[in-house]
């Protein structure tokens, strides 16, 4: 979703996978990166302040939603782990997420 921060007007909307956690903008390349829980990093190019173009969707791993960006190397970093079964639903948590398996944390690094 590209929005005018002053007016709140939506300028453009593009579909992405579910569970977005992080969005990064690289001013040098004019690229926008959005990472999602479904294991995707969606890459867009800012053609102008009012328009983005879809560049690609990078398949990562399920759960790799927390993202960092190294402006020096232009690498995208996401972390994930193996996940166990989701716990039983409760009234407070009707749609619980599966818990990570201890000792399986890994950092995934992607470059152009």
């Amino acid at each position: 979703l590209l929005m005018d921060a002053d007016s709140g007007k939506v300028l453009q909307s593009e579909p992405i996978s579910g569970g977005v956690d992080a969005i990064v903008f690289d001013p040098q390349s004019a690229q926008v990166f959005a990472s999602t829980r479904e294991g995707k990093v969606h890459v867009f190019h800012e053609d102008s302040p009012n328009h983005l173009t879809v560049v690609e969707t990078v398949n990562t791993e399920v759960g790799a939603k927390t993202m960092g960006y190294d402006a020096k190397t232009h690498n995208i970093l996401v972390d994930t782990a193996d996940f166990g079964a989701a716990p039983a639903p409760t009234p407070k948590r009707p749609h619980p997420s599966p818990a990570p398996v201890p000792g399986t944390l890994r950092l995934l690094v992607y470059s152009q």
Side-chain angles (χ1 to χ4, degrees):
L1 182 66
L2 181 63
M3 180 186 300
D4 181 307
D6 294 325
S7 69
K9 179 182 176 188
V10 174
L11 304 173
Q12 183 179 342
S13 178
E14 295 291 338
I16 64 171
S17 54
V20 70
D21 184 69
I23 297 176
V24 173
F25 176 69
D26 175 22
Q28 187 176 2
S29 67
Q31 289 189 320
V32 178
F33 305 91
S35 58
T36 70
R37 181 172 186 78
E38 290 185 15
K40 312 271 186 204
V41 174
H42 300 272
V43 184
F44 303 90
H45 183 267
E46 181 191 46
D47 301 325
S48 74
N50 298 326
H51 188 264
L52 298 174
T53 298
V54 175
V55 174
E56 68 178 312
T57 299
V58 177
N59 292 315
T60 61
E61 292 183 22
V62 172
K65 63 183 182 119
T66 302
M67 178 176 51
Y69 184 73
D70 183 339
K72 185 176 179 180
T73 64
H74 302 281
N75 288 343
I76 299 167
L77 303 101
V78 292
D79 67 318
T80 192
D82 294 336
F83 293 90
T90 65
K92 280 189 169 184
R93 295 188 65 204
H95 305 287
S97 297
V101 175
T104 64
L105 175 70
R106 58 193 168 277
L107 181 66
L108 311 174
V109 180
Y110 296 89
S111 63
Q112 292 186 10

